[in-house]
Amino acid sequence: VPGFPELNHSQVSAVKSVLPKPLSLIQGPPGTGKTVTSAAIVFHLAKQNMGQVLVIAPSNVAVDQLTEKISATGLRVVRLCAKSREAVSSSIDHLTLHRMVMSLDTPDKEELRKLQALKEDQGELVTADERKFRQLKAKTERELLQAADVICTTCVGAGDPRLASFRFRQVLIDEATQAMEAECLIGIVMGAKQLVLVGDHQQLGPVVMCKKAAKAGLMQSLFERLVLLG
């Protein structure tokens, strides 16, 4: 993989065995280089020309780390954040959709910038301007998402309305053992034909606050259930 150190023997065999299979589980204890392996897998999946790859993980930190690694391979990556997190800055700001929209060089950009500045200045826009702002923003977001090789977001983020019309045949779920099964399904039902789950079921499972739900089986991740099923 360009821009990557040489993978070790077990990482190489993990990548090789995953690529031809429709469903794979990769288990790796802490410090075994799961993130690098995941990024290498995503790189090779993207090169199979089956359309865009969806990469999801239950936590924002995990998504950010993986986004950074995948970006280092030279693929076009877009990190989709929840609207509520757009104000939170991170090391991969330049790869986030909301920042890309504002830094893109398109004929609409100037108008979008003006409206954004006006909105920040006045708190809200008049109805006609607000409509125009939303249309321009949605159009630019759609173009950026469609141009990406890989879209990274949280498990729940995969249900974002901005991705509603997208279909992903290849899906990789990182930290899959910390996600509830229902969380994982959000990304999987978007057309997955090839699914890779990466995690370690010997570590902490999903955090479920509701005791009833936990008892009913939500504490068991999809990864662990599949491991137990052999």
Side-chain angles (χ1 to χ4, degrees):
V1 177
F4 263 41
E6 198 69 32
L7 298 181
N8 67 31
H9 168 69
S10 62
Q11 288 171 325
V12 170
S13 74
V15 176
K16 271 188 181 166
S17 64
V18 161
L19 295 175
K21 292 183 189 141
L23 174 65
S24 315
L25 304 183
I26 296 180
Q27 189 216 347
T32 49
K34 289 194 291 292
T35 310
V36 172
T37 308
S38 297
I41 289 167
V42 172
F43 175 78
H44 289 295
L45 289 177
K47 294 293 175 213
Q48 290 180 348
N49 295 328
M50 279 171 64
Q52 296 171 304
V53 184
L54 177 67
V55 174
I56 53 179
S59 72
N60 282 295
V61 175
V63 178
D64 287 351
Q65 283 176 344
L66 200 44
T67 304
E68 198 166 1
K69 283 272 191 291
I70 295 167
S71 168
T73 67
L75 291 174
R76 281 180 307 219
V77 189
V78 173
R79 160 74 159 109
L80 182 67
C81 294
K83 292 255 167 78
S84 58
R85 271 189 69 86
E86 288 184 358
V88 182
S89 68
S90 69
S91 58
I92 52 149
D93 273 347
H94 59 291
L95 300 171
T96 56
L97 183 63
H98 58 280
R99 289 288 167 95
M100 280 179 164
V101 165
M102 288 305 155
S103 59
L104 200 71
D105 264 331
T106 59
D108 298 334
K109 186 183 81 169
E110 261 331 293
E111 197 172 354
L112 196 56
R113 275 229 177 110
K114 275 180 198 157
L115 290 168
Q116 174 82 18
L118 199 62
K119 189 176 175 138
E120 283 168 6
D121 188 41
Q122 298 181 353
E124 57 182 300
L125 297 168
V126 293
T127 315
D129 279 351
E130 180 66 43
R131 190 181 301 126
K132 180 82 177 140
F133 176 66
R134 283 191 177 167
Q135 280 172 347
L136 278 176
K137 197 173 173 198
K139 179 176 171 244
T140 313
E141 284 178 341
R142 198 164 50 246
E143 284 167 4
L144 281 166
L145 288 168
Q146 282 166 348
D149 299 316
V150 182
I151 293 176
C152 300
T153 184
T154 56
C155 295
V156 175
D160 191 294
R162 290 170 287 184
L163 293 178
S165 60
F166 285 74
R167 288 290 162 268
F168 300 98
R169 290 161 70 186
Q170 296 164 306
V171 179
L172 180 134
I173 307 179
D174 193 29
E175 302 286 6
T177 48
Q178 290 174 24
M180 289 188 301
E181 184 159 342
E183 261 181 305
C184 290
L185 289 173
I186 301 170
I188 293 171
V189 299
M190 295 176 76
K193 295 259 188 289
Q194 187 171 16
L195 175 65
V196 183
L197 300 169
V198 184
D200 181 13
H201 58 293
Q202 305 297 337
Q203 289 180 62
L204 190 69
V207 177
V208 182
M209 297 308 226
C210 171
K211 287 204 171 89
K212 251 186 178 172
K215 254 197 182 131
L218 275 189
M219 284 286 287
Q220 191 184 58
S221 64
L222 176 64
F223 187 105
E224 192 175 3
R225 190 161 74 80
L226 290 170
V227 167
L228 294 171
L229 286 169

